[in-house]
Amino acid sequence: QVQLVESGGGLVQAGGSLRLSCAASGRTFSSYTMGWFRQAPGKEREFVAAISWSGGRTYYTDSVKGRFTISRDNAKNTVYLQMKRLKPEDTAVYYCAADTAPFTTGQPMGAPDVDSWGQGTQVTVSS
């Protein structure tokens, strides 16, 4: 199992950008499908993006397509979420997630399938 630590959250104006990072411990990071979820106050945790172990395949929820980009650097045991053109509705705690199951093209990562979660980082977008 990997341990995950997110960073990079903060307060930004609508239309701005942030880049989240998730540092993983453990030698098997490159074998994990990695993803990002978010949870707004009073709402359930929702899937945002996922990336295959090689970084060659990605999947996004519709609301962030064209604005967010997930990437990974297996040499640094880190996964990133570049967020652009942020909207107030993107305000949430963002969680990094690791899944030992292989990436499935066209399918989101399911929260019940996640093997490891980070502690979360707050993203607040002001209007």
Side-chain angles (χ1 to χ4, degrees):
Q1 200 173 35
V2 293
Q3 284 74 51
L4 306 172
V5 179
E6 302 97 333
S7 61
L11 173 64
V12 63
Q13 289 188 333
S17 300
L18 281 175
R19 189 177 80 154
L20 305 183
S21 299
C22 172
S25 63
R27 295 177 295 173
T28 60
F29 172 77
S30 62
S31 66
Y32 283 84
T33 297
M34 297 298 297
W36 288 93
F37 288 73
R38 64 187 180 187
Q39 188 167 17
K43 296 187 177 182
E44 293 188 355
R45 191 170 298 189
E46 66 169 353
F47 168 81
V48 175
I51 188 167
S52 63
W53 68 270
S54 69
R57 292 179 292 167
T58 58
Y59 186 81
Y60 300 91
T61 193
D62 286 345
S63 62
V64 307
K65 284 181 181 177
R67 300 188 299 122
F68 290 12
T69 302
I70 187 171
S71 62
R72 68 190 295 164
D73 186 338
N74 288 340
K76 295 182 178 180
N77 280 13
T78 303
V79 62
Y80 305 96
L81 186 68
Q82 177 68 53
M83 306 185 292
K84 298 182 179 179
R85 302 197 304 277
L86 282 160
K87 305 175 181 180
E89 51 263 44
D90 294 318
T91 295
V93 177
Y94 282 70
Y95 296 91
C96 180
D99 187 355
T100 55
F103 181 91
T104 303
T105 301
Q107 295 291 325
M109 182 184 289
D113 300 324
V114 171
D115 295 287
S116 298
W117 293 99
Q119 83 288 351
T121 186
Q122 177 70 47
V123 172
T124 303
V125 184
S126 64
S127 57

